[in-house]
């Protein structure tokens, strides 16, 4: 579980996460990074762990309120962050989650759930200006699908936005598996 950062021309290795973790979400930069959720070593063991990177060492932050595993959307850093959707490792049905959480610099609090959510959502932003799209989740009526639904969050409520284009090769719906964009 090697951690690395890009300095503009080369990759530099840093210290490993305190606990081997994958499929979580993270954001920030090389000296101010927050990582949360995921799965311990791909063993279908979801975690609510939070890790903070200050440029030199990882420290353990307070746990997430809910599980966010299997690709969730994430935006922010150690000062302020937002995490949305994911999978809970089959801990409680329905497994594809629509909930969100806010990080205030020292602790997570529950936020508003969305309509679609699910595993593999991509997105980024802040707790008051966030967008999430695609993934594998609910179609708004309880059925699971590869989704191209896009939603934005304004700090109070989720709004349905224009669907992500679904004209990919083979005319299938778009699908993502986690990830963030520049916030």
């Amino acid at each position: 579980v090697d951690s690395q950062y890009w300095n503009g021309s080369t990759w530099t290795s840093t210290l490993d996460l305190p606990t081997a973790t994958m499929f979580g979400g993270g954001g920030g930069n090389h000296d101010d990074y927050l990582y949360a959720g995921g799965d311990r070593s791909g063993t279908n063991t979801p975690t609510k762990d939070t890790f903070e990177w200050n440029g030199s060492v990882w420290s353990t932050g307070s746990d997430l309120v809910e599980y966010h595993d299997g690709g969730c959307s994430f935006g922010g850093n150690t000062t302020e962050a937002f995490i949305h959707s994911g999978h809970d490792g089959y801990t409680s049905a329905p497994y594809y989650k629509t909930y969100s959480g806010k990080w205030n610099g020292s602790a997570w609090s529950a936020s508003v759930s969305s309509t679609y959510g699910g595993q593999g959502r991509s997105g980024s932003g802040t707790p008051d200006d966030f967008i999430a799209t695609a993934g594998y989740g609910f179609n708004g009526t309880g059925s699971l699908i590869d989704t191209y639904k896009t939603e934005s969050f304004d700090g109070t409520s989720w709004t349905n936005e224009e669907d992500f284009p679904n004209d990919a090769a083979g005319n299938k719906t778009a699908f993502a598996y986690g990830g963030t964009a520049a916030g």
Side-chain angles (χ1 to χ4, degrees), residues 103-138:
W103 174 258
N104 67 9
S106 61
W108 289 100
S109 61
S111 187
V112 179
S113 292
S114 73
T115 301
Y116 300 103
Q119 177 179 354
R121 291 286 264 179
S122 291
S124 190
T126 67
D128 297 321
D129 185 14
F130 196 86
I131 191 164
T133 192
Y136 182 73
F138 297 103

Tab-separated table of all heavy atoms in Angstrom, residues 103-138:
chain	number	residue	atom	x	y	z
A	103	TRP	N	-16.763	16.362	6.480
A	103	TRP	CA	-15.597	16.424	7.359
A	103	TRP	C	-15.358	17.886	7.705
A	103	TRP	O	-15.286	18.734	6.816
A	103	TRP	CB	-14.382	15.841	6.642
A	103	TRP	CG	-13.085	15.963	7.364
A	103	TRP	CD1	-12.102	16.873	7.113
A	103	TRP	CD2	-12.608	15.148	8.441
A	103	TRP	NE1	-11.037	16.673	7.957
A	103	TRP	CE2	-11.324	15.615	8.788
A	103	TRP	CE3	-13.142	14.082	9.151
A	103	TRP	CZ2	-10.568	15.047	9.807
A	103	TRP	CZ3	-12.385	13.507	10.161
A	103	TRP	CH2	-11.119	13.981	10.478
A	104	ASN	N	-15.236	18.202	8.995
A	104	ASN	CA	-15.054	19.594	9.420
A	104	ASN	C	-13.626	19.907	9.865
A	104	ASN	O	-13.373	20.940	10.477
A	104	ASN	CB	-16.032	19.948	10.536
A	104	ASN	CG	-15.748	19.192	11.819
A	104	ASN	OD1	-14.736	18.523	11.969
A	104	ASN	ND2	-16.673	19.290	12.761
A	105	GLY	N	-12.699	19.031	9.565
A	105	GLY	CA	-11.317	19.227	9.973
A	105	GLY	C	-10.915	18.352	11.145
A	105	GLY	O	-9.730	18.169	11.415
A	106	SER	N	-11.916	17.811	11.854
A	106	SER	CA	-11.596	16.926	12.972
A	106	SER	C	-12.562	15.750	13.117
A	106	SER	O	-12.237	14.773	13.783
A	106	SER	CB	-11.561	17.716	14.284
A	106	SER	OG	-12.819	18.300	14.542
A	107	ALA	N	-13.745	15.823	12.513
A	107	ALA	CA	-14.733	14.749	12.653
A	107	ALA	C	-15.690	14.729	11.467
A	107	ALA	O	-15.901	15.743	10.795
A	107	ALA	CB	-15.528	14.925	13.949
A	108	TRP	N	-16.278	13.561	11.231
A	108	TRP	CA	-17.299	13.388	10.197
A	108	TRP	C	-18.687	13.551	10.809
A	108	TRP	O	-18.915	13.165	11.946
A	108	TRP	CB	-17.215	11.986	9.586
A	108	TRP	CG	-16.019	11.776	8.725
A	108	TRP	CD1	-14.860	11.152	9.075
A	108	TRP	CD2	-15.859	12.177	7.372
A	108	TRP	NE1	-13.986	11.143	8.030
A	108	TRP	CE2	-14.570	11.765	6.957
A	108	TRP	CE3	-16.668	12.849	6.459
A	108	TRP	CZ2	-14.091	12.008	5.675
A	108	TRP	CZ3	-16.184	13.091	5.186
A	108	TRP	CH2	-14.912	12.676	4.797
A	109	SER	N	-19.610	14.080	10.023
A	109	SER	CA	-21.022	14.106	10.409
A	109	SER	C	-21.830	13.627	9.211
A	109	SER	O	-21.402	13.764	8.060
A	109	SER	CB	-21.464	15.508	10.832
A	109	SER	OG	-21.317	16.421	9.762
A	110	ALA	N	-22.988	13.053	9.477
A	110	ALA	CA	-23.855	12.580	8.401
A	110	ALA	C	-24.420	13.771	7.643
A	110	ALA	O	-24.688	14.828	8.214
A	110	ALA	CB	-24.984	11.734	8.972
A	111	SER	N	-24.589	13.589	6.346
A	111	SER	CA	-25.195	14.617	5.506
A	111	SER	C	-26.409	14.011	4.798
A	111	SER	O	-26.859	12.932	5.157
A	111	SER	CB	-24.169	15.145	4.496
A	111	SER	OG	-24.689	16.246	3.789
A	112	VAL	N	-26.893	14.675	3.794
A	112	VAL	CA	-28.122	14.301	3.097
A	112	VAL	C	-27.862	13.190	2.079
A	112	VAL	O	-26.890	13.247	1.331
A	112	VAL	CB	-28.705	15.545	2.380
A	112	VAL	CG1	-29.965	15.205	1.623
A	112	VAL	CG2	-28.949	16.654	3.387
A	113	SER	N	-28.728	12.190	2.038
A	113	SER	CA	-28.648	11.129	1.034
A	113	SER	C	-29.174	11.642	-0.303
A	113	SER	O	-30.016	12.537	-0.357
A	113	SER	CB	-29.462	9.918	1.460
A	113	SER	OG	-28.881	9.304	2.580
A	114	SER	N	-28.668	11.028	-1.388
A	114	SER	CA	-29.127	11.396	-2.723
A	114	SER	C	-30.114	10.354	-3.246
A	114	SER	O	-30.382	9.357	-2.591
A	114	SER	CB	-27.936	11.515	-3.674
A	114	SER	OG	-27.439	10.230	-3.984
A	115	THR	N	-30.608	10.561	-4.448
A	115	THR	CA	-31.544	9.623	-5.067
A	115	THR	C	-30.817	8.424	-5.657
A	115	THR	O	-31.251	7.293	-5.513
A	115	THR	CB	-32.341	10.316	-6.189
A	115	THR	OG1	-33.050	11.411	-5.626
A	115	THR	CG2	-33.329	9.360	-6.843
A	116	TYR	N	-29.678	8.637	-6.324
A	116	TYR	CA	-29.031	7.574	-7.077
A	116	TYR	C	-27.860	6.955	-6.330
A	116	TYR	O	-27.894	5.792	-5.982
A	116	TYR	CB	-28.610	8.087	-8.452
A	116	TYR	CG	-29.807	8.562	-9.233
A	116	TYR	CD1	-30.076	9.911	-9.372
A	116	TYR	CD2	-30.704	7.654	-9.770
A	116	TYR	CE1	-31.194	10.346	-10.057
A	116	TYR	CE2	-31.832	8.078	-10.446
A	116	TYR	CZ	-32.066	9.431	-10.593
A	116	TYR	OH	-33.186	9.858	-11.256
A	117	GLY	N	-26.797	7.676	-6.096
A	117	GLY	CA	-25.661	7.137	-5.353
A	117	GLY	C	-25.148	5.841	-5.928
A	117	GLY	O	-25.205	5.599	-7.116
A	118	GLY	N	-24.619	4.974	-5.056
A	118	GLY	CA	-24.166	3.657	-5.464
A	118	GLY	C	-22.666	3.496	-5.476
A	118	GLY	O	-21.917	4.381	-5.104
A	119	GLN	N	-22.255	2.327	-5.908
A	119	GLN	CA	-20.851	1.944	-5.959
A	119	GLN	C	-20.212	2.532	-7.211
A	119	GLN	O	-20.826	2.576	-8.270
A	119	GLN	CB	-20.781	0.426	-6.007
A	119	GLN	CG	-19.412	-0.148	-6.128
A	119	GLN	CD	-19.463	-1.665	-6.142
A	119	GLN	OE1	-20.513	-2.262	-5.957
A	119	GLN	NE2	-18.335	-2.284	-6.359
A	120	GLY	N	-18.977	2.969	-7.085
A	120	GLY	CA	-18.254	3.442	-8.251
A	120	GLY	C	-18.590	4.847	-8.702
A	120	GLY	O	-18.266	5.228	-9.817
A	121	ARG	N	-19.231	5.653	-7.868
A	121	ARG	CA	-19.541	7.037	-8.250
A	121	ARG	C	-18.259	7.826	-8.439
A	121	ARG	O	-17.276	7.630	-7.739
A	121	ARG	CB	-20.364	7.735	-7.171
A	121	ARG	CG	-21.767	7.228	-7.009
A	121	ARG	CD	-22.672	7.657	-8.103
A	121	ARG	NE	-23.414	8.858	-7.724
A	121	ARG	CZ	-24.270	9.445	-8.534
A	121	ARG	NH1	-24.497	8.997	-9.730
A	121	ARG	NH2	-24.916	10.507	-8.137
A	122	SER	N	-18.268	8.740	-9.375
A	122	SER	CA	-17.181	9.691	-9.578
A	122	SER	C	-17.705	11.066	-9.236
A	122	SER	O	-18.875	11.373	-9.493
A	122	SER	CB	-16.709	9.684	-11.022
A	122	SER	OG	-16.060	8.490	-11.325
A	123	GLY	N	-16.861	11.895	-8.663
A	123	GLY	CA	-17.297	13.246	-8.349
A	123	GLY	C	-16.269	13.998	-7.548
A	123	GLY	O	-15.232	13.459	-7.175
A	124	SER	N	-16.565	15.253	-7.291
A	124	SER	CA	-15.667	16.084	-6.510
A	124	SER	C	-16.380	17.370	-6.132
A	124	SER	O	-17.482	17.645	-6.591
A	124	SER	CB	-14.405	16.404	-7.307
A	124	SER	OG	-13.433	17.007	-6.465
A	125	GLY	N	-15.726	18.144	-5.295
A	125	GLY	CA	-16.248	19.428	-4.876
A	125	GLY	C	-16.013	19.657	-3.400
A	125	GLY	O	-15.102	19.083	-2.810
A	126	THR	N	-16.846	20.491	-2.826
A	126	THR	CA	-16.776	20.832	-1.407
A	126	THR	C	-18.095	20.441	-0.746
A	126	THR	O	-19.054	20.097	-1.440
A	126	THR	CB	-16.555	22.352	-1.227
A	126	THR	OG1	-17.729	23.035	-1.689
A	126	THR	CG2	-15.330	22.833	-1.999
A	127	PRO	N	-18.180	20.526	0.576
A	127	PRO	CA	-19.436	20.191	1.242
A	127	PRO	C	-20.624	21.078	0.817
A	127	PRO	O	-21.770	20.711	1.032
A	127	PRO	CB	-19.119	20.389	2.726
A	127	PRO	CG	-17.661	20.147	2.827
A	127	PRO	CD	-17.098	20.723	1.563
A	128	ASP	N	-20.352	22.205	0.209
A	128	ASP	CA	-21.426	23.108	-0.226
A	128	ASP	C	-21.535	23.244	-1.738
A	128	ASP	O	-22.359	24.030	-2.225
A	128	ASP	CB	-21.212	24.497	0.382
A	128	ASP	CG	-21.302	24.461	1.892
A	128	ASP	OD1	-22.156	23.723	2.422
A	128	ASP	OD2	-20.504	25.158	2.545
A	129	ASP	N	-20.737	22.517	-2.485
A	129	ASP	CA	-20.749	22.607	-3.948
A	129	ASP	C	-20.102	21.341	-4.497
A	129	ASP	O	-18.905	21.289	-4.721
A	129	ASP	CB	-19.984	23.851	-4.400
A	129	ASP	CG	-20.066	24.074	-5.898
A	129	ASP	OD1	-20.907	23.447	-6.572
A	129	ASP	OD2	-19.252	24.888	-6.397
A	130	PHE	N	-20.925	20.300	-4.700
A	130	PHE	CA	-20.413	18.973	-5.031
A	130	PHE	C	-21.195	18.409	-6.206
A	130	PHE	O	-22.379	18.674	-6.369
A	130	PHE	CB	-20.590	18.057	-3.812
A	130	PHE	CG	-19.788	16.798	-3.866
A	130	PHE	CD1	-18.474	16.788	-3.422
A	130	PHE	CD2	-20.336	15.624	-4.346
A	130	PHE	CE1	-17.714	15.628	-3.456
A	130	PHE	CE2	-19.590	14.458	-4.388
A	130	PHE	CZ	-18.280	14.460	-3.944
A	131	ILE	N	-20.525	17.600	-7.036
A	131	ILE	CA	-21.202	16.922	-8.133
A	131	ILE	C	-20.752	15.468	-8.165
A	131	ILE	O	-19.590	15.166	-7.879
A	131	ILE	CB	-20.934	17.615	-9.492
A	131	ILE	CG1	-21.860	17.047	-10.575
A	131	ILE	CG2	-19.459	17.541	-9.864
A	131	ILE	CD1	-21.946	17.901	-11.811
A	132	ALA	N	-21.664	14.553	-8.454
A	132	ALA	CA	-21.367	13.125	-8.534
A	132	ALA	C	-22.118	12.535	-9.721
A	132	ALA	O	-23.231	12.955	-10.038
A	132	ALA	CB	-21.791	12.426	-7.247
A	133	THR	N	-21.494	11.546	-10.378
A	133	THR	CA	-22.115	10.958	-11.564
A	133	THR	C	-21.695	9.510	-11.746
A	133	THR	O	-20.718	9.057	-11.168
A	133	THR	CB	-21.767	11.774	-12.832
A	133	THR	OG1	-22.600	11.350	-13.907
A	133	THR	CG2	-20.313	11.629	-13.210
A	134	ALA	N	-22.441	8.804	-12.565
A	134	ALA	CA	-22.171	7.440	-13.019
A	134	ALA	C	-22.085	6.452	-11.861
A	134	ALA	O	-22.560	6.714	-10.775
A	134	ALA	CB	-20.931	7.406	-13.896
A	135	GLY	N	-21.507	5.282	-12.131
A	135	GLY	CA	-21.382	4.240	-11.128
A	135	GLY	C	-22.393	3.129	-11.307
A	135	GLY	O	-23.043	2.993	-12.344
A	136	TYR	N	-22.531	2.316	-10.289
A	136	TYR	CA	-23.487	1.219	-10.278
A	136	TYR	C	-24.373	1.435	-9.065
A	136	TYR	O	-23.915	1.382	-7.931
A	136	TYR	CB	-22.771	-0.128	-10.169
A	136	TYR	CG	-23.711	-1.316	-10.195
A	136	TYR	CD1	-24.338	-1.689	-11.373
A	136	TYR	CD2	-23.969	-2.041	-9.048
A	136	TYR	CE1	-25.195	-2.775	-11.408
A	136	TYR	CE2	-24.815	-3.137	-9.072
A	136	TYR	CZ	-25.428	-3.496	-10.256
A	136	TYR	OH	-26.280	-4.565	-10.290
A	137	GLY	N	-25.633	1.728	-9.303
A	137	GLY	CA	-26.514	2.033	-8.189
A	137	GLY	C	-27.965	1.988	-8.594
A	137	GLY	O	-28.350	1.328	-9.556
A	138	PHE	N	-28.756	2.739	-7.881
A	138	PHE	CA	-30.204	2.719	-8.074
A	138	PHE	C	-30.644	3.664	-9.179
A	138	PHE	O	-30.052	4.710	-9.393
A	138	PHE	CB	-30.892	3.082	-6.763
A	138	PHE	CG	-30.607	2.087	-5.682
A	138	PHE	CD1	-29.690	2.367	-4.689
A	138	PHE	CD2	-31.219	0.843	-5.683
A	138	PHE	CE1	-29.405	1.440	-3.700
A	138	PHE	CE2	-30.935	-0.098	-4.712
A	138	PHE	CZ	-30.034	0.203	-3.719
